Amino acid sequence: MTTATPAPTRSRSLAWWLAPSGVIAVLAIGILWAIPRPAQACIMIYPTPPECATGGDPSTVIVFLVLIVALYAAIVTCALLIPARLRPLVLGLLSGALGLVILIGLAVTLTASQSPYYYY
């Protein structure tokens, strides 16, 4: 008599996809939001005008934050609705897309985070 190992339950197999993706998404959002952004073109005087000392324009970051949240929502939705035989393929593609959006978001945000343009 042989004993077969039980198949992993749905919640346990989903945890292997949802937990790491969620942690990576939250870390990426925190990192993207923490990157300093320039306010605008600032005149080179001392003291710096108040509008040049702010955190800057978040418009480049917000697009990627929305994309990260949307992709994570797609991962959760597909993890719950896709049949078990297709789940690894679909979740793997969505996780890869999430990683790609994070990398592109970091590159764009770092490019936009160059120090403010000072003129005389």
Side-chain angles (χ1 to χ4, degrees):
M1 177 185 269
T2 61
T3 58
T5 58
T9 62
R10 181 179 179 112
S11 63
R12 185 172 179 210
S13 65
L14 291 180
W16 287 104
W17 286 102
L18 298 180
S21 298
V23 169
I24 289 171
V26 168
L27 286 174
I29 288 171
I31 290 170
L32 284 174
W33 196 256
I35 295 174
R37 297 166 304 277
Q40 59 204 22
C42 297
I43 190 166
M44 197 167 171
I45 59 171
Y46 184 81
T48 306
E51 62 271 4
C52 292
T54 61
D57 182 25
S59 63
T60 58
V61 175
I62 290 177
V63 173
F64 291 102
L65 298 182
V66 169
L67 284 173
I68 289 170
V69 170
L71 276 171
Y72 185 68
I75 289 172
V76 170
T77 304
C78 289
L80 296 174
L81 298 178
I82 298 292
R85 61 184 176 80
L86 293 175
R87 193 175 300 139
L89 174 67
V90 172
L91 295 182
L93 289 173
L94 286 173
S95 297
L98 178 67
L100 188 64
V101 165
I102 291 170
L103 290 176
I104 292 172
L106 281 172
V108 168
T109 306
L110 286 173
T111 302
S113 72
Q114 303 299 322
S115 59
Y117 176 73
Y118 289 102
Y119 59 91
Y120 298 102

